[in-house]
């Protein structure tokens, strides 16, 4: 089955890629979840629009990924969150909140889907956050969650 990816799928491709998958995987998972659309000649024309949008927010090449990694390494990211007496948060920290905190700290604009969290962040303190910038470059920075 030929499909066009609309979101990044690990091990399969990035938005705008035309890939061949098994019928069940495409029909039962990728299409209902909104990760892909069925391939047609008309839909293939939409691929150019998807790729153009992706290139606007994507890390351009390996050199640019290393520059962003250097920016993140020297960054001190603080995130204010509501917490109880024991330091346990009311809820948890979301990737969108982390991206906003990085931007507020003067860092680069990141894609929240590229963040790799060590699990759910539900307590105050310092937590390591990994960002997959490029297939060969992964940056790590410390997120300091403070009472807010």
């Amino acid at each position: 089955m030929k499909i066009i990816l609309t979101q990044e799928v690990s091990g399969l491709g990035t938005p705008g890629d035309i890939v061949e998958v098994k019928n069940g995987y495409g029909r039962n998972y990728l299409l209902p979840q909104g990760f892909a659309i069925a391939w047609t000649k008309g839909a293939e024309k939409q691929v150019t629009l998807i790729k153009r949008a992706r290139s606007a927010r994507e890390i351009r090449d390996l050199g640019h990924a290393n520059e962003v990694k250097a920016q993140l390494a020297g960054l001190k990211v603080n995130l204010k969150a509501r917490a109880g007496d024991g330091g346990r948060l009311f809820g948890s920290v979301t990737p969108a909140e982390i991206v906003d905190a990085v931007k507020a700290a003067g860092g680069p604009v990141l894609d929240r889907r590229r963040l790799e969290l060590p699990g759910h962040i539900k307590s105050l303190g310092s937590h390591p956050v990994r960002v997959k910038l490029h297939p060969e470059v992964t940056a790590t920075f410390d997120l300091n969650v403070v009472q807010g």
Side-chain angles (χ1 to χ4, degrees):
M1 164 179 229
K2 253 184 164 178
I3 58 168
I4 301 171
L5 296 177
T6 57
Q7 294 182 17
E8 184 170 345
V9 178
S10 297
L12 197 56
T14 56
D17 289 349
I18 300 171
V19 294
E20 186 79 29
V21 296
K22 297 211 175 193
N23 290 337
Y25 183 50
R27 193 172 43 246
N28 297 328
Y29 178 69
L30 295 173
L31 295 175
Q33 294 291 327
F35 293 143
I37 57 174
W39 177 87
T40 61
K41 287 190 184 260
E44 191 169 358
K45 292 178 183 174
Q46 290 180 321
V47 170
T48 58
L49 297 174
I50 293 171
K51 286 189 176 185
R52 192 174 306 142
R54 180 179 73 185
S55 68
R57 69 173 183 271
E58 187 179 71
I59 303 296
R60 290 185 296 278
D61 57 7
L62 187 61
H64 185 237
N66 285 325
E67 289 176 22
V68 172
K69 180 179 179 179
Q71 282 181 332
L72 287 173
L75 207 58
K76 186 149 182 78
V77 181
N78 289 321
L79 178 67
K80 291 185 178 182
R82 291 184 43 217
D85 293 334
R88 187 162 174 82
L89 299 181
F90 298 128
S92 63
V93 176
T94 65
E97 291 173 329
I98 295 171
V99 168
D100 291 340
V102 169
K103 192 165 47 170
V109 177
L110 300 173
D111 186 2
R112 65 178 170 77
R113 293 175 293 239
R114 297 204 179 268
L115 292 179
E116 297 174 357
L117 300 176
H120 296 286
I121 299 176
K122 295 187 173 198
S123 62
L124 297 176
S126 183
H127 302 276
V129 177
R130 293 176 39 153
V131 183
K132 188 168 178 133
L133 299 170
H134 189 268
E136 301 171 14
V137 179
T138 303
T140 305
F141 65 92
D142 284 326
L143 174 71
N144 191 24
V145 181
V146 296
Q147 178 80 31

